[in-house]
Amino acid sequence: MKERKLNYRFHNPNPTAATADYLLKIFMEANQEKVQLAIQAAADTADGSGEKDNEGHPA
């Protein structure tokens, strides 16, 4: 039997920016734990890199 090719079409009356914002909210809600860990890791990296840059350099 021949396989059928699926063809999807979506009608989106919203502006592109509104659609992107909506999708971002959905993805963040679905991956809330991963998002929080990534934000914390980025904050820790930013805090740690600033301290390392100042070590060994007199003011």
Side-chain angles (χ1 to χ4, degrees), residues 2-55:
K2 185 178 177 182
E3 285 189 36
R4 286 185 160 179
K5 180 180 177 184
L6 298 177
N7 188 7
Y8 295 100
R9 292 185 185 161
F10 297 95
H11 172 70
N12 184 9
N14 300 316
T16 305
T19 302
D21 186 49
Y22 182 69
L23 289 173
L24 177 63
K25 288 178 183 178
I26 291 172
F27 291 143
M28 285 183 65
E29 185 177 323
N31 295 302
Q32 187 173 8
E33 186 176 333
K34 288 181 183 178
V35 171
Q36 287 176 347
L37 290 173
I39 291 170
Q40 185 63 43
D44 291 344
T45 301
D47 290 343
S49 67
E51 292 174 9
K52 287 182 181 177
D53 289 343
N54 292 334
E55 290 180 8

